Amino acid sequence: MVETQVKPQRTGVGRGRKAHAVDAYVGQRMRQRRVLLGMSLEQVADALDLTYQQVQKYERAANRISAGRLFAISQVLDVPVSFFFDGVDAGTVAGVIPADSAAPTDSDDRRVMEKRETLELLRAYYHISDRNMRRRLVDLIRAVSNAPSEQPVTQ
């Protein structure tokens, strides 16, 4: 019986090196959580006793994250280590894209969660304490965007 070896999907990283797609996915999840918490690169770097450039390299998958460092990052970002791998499968890592890419298609709506704008909007939205105001805001956004009306938003 002939075994075939599957090579890991890789994405481009500067200076001729390539990162594993899983590394890029983990970096994206790290950035997503950092931005959602409203933390700067410097704040995360200080908490980890690193430079902000090192944190940036982790987020861009220019440098790989060791298991121990990933554990420390999970504590700083207040998520379990498994958070960084939620949703990873062969299709996911093959479709890793830069956070500043074009708008997602219907088939990959989850990519919208990788955008800074989305994360900042969510953070601001949940700072609105009045539930009726949040519901009206969602209705307004749907009306302006011509988005299809779905189930009513319940808080």
Side-chain angles (χ1 to χ4, degrees):
M1 173 185 258
V2 177
E3 292 185 32
T4 59
Q5 184 177 5
V6 178
K7 291 186 178 181
Q9 181 69 32
R10 295 174 179 264
T11 70
V13 174
R15 294 181 23 191
R17 291 178 289 185
K18 299 219 177 213
H20 288 89
V22 173
D23 295 333
Y25 184 80
V26 168
Q28 284 178 348
R29 296 285 288 173
M30 181 179 165
R31 179 180 178 278
Q32 177 185 30
R33 179 65 178 171
R34 176 182 60 78
V35 172
L36 193 57
L37 290 174
M39 295 179 77
S40 67
L41 284 168
E42 291 85 1
Q43 290 170 315
V44 173
D46 288 345
L48 295 168
D49 197 27
L50 298 171
T51 64
Y52 81 90
Q53 292 99 331
Q54 183 62 43
V55 174
Q56 191 174 47
K57 286 179 179 185
Y58 287 152
E59 289 183 358
R60 293 182 178 173
N63 287 358
R64 299 185 91 176
I65 304 172
S66 70
R69 181 76 71 202
L70 187 61
F71 181 77
I73 292 167
S74 74
Q75 290 184 317
V76 168
L77 299 178
D78 195 29
V79 291
V81 172
S82 62
F83 167 83
F84 299 105
F85 301 97
D86 287 348
V88 171
D89 60 28
T92 301
V93 295
V96 171
I97 60 165
D100 60 349
S101 64
T105 65
D106 290 339
S107 64
D108 54 4
D109 282 339
R110 65 195 154 100
R111 289 184 181 176
V112 75
M113 292 304 297
E114 298 167 8
K115 293 178 170 268
R116 174 179 284 283
E117 178 182 43
T118 302
L119 301 173
E120 290 174 354
L121 181 63
L122 280 173
R123 190 176 59 226
Y125 174 82
Y126 281 109
H127 275 88
I128 300 170
S129 59
D130 182 344
R131 290 181 179 179
N132 288 328
M133 179 63 73
R134 286 198 311 243
R135 189 175 351 221
R136 292 192 340 243
L137 184 58
V138 169
D139 291 341
L140 173 65
I141 292 170
R142 279 195 185 120
V144 171
S145 69
N146 296 320
S149 183
E150 297 175 7
Q151 298 292 335
V153 175
T154 57
Q155 309 295 327

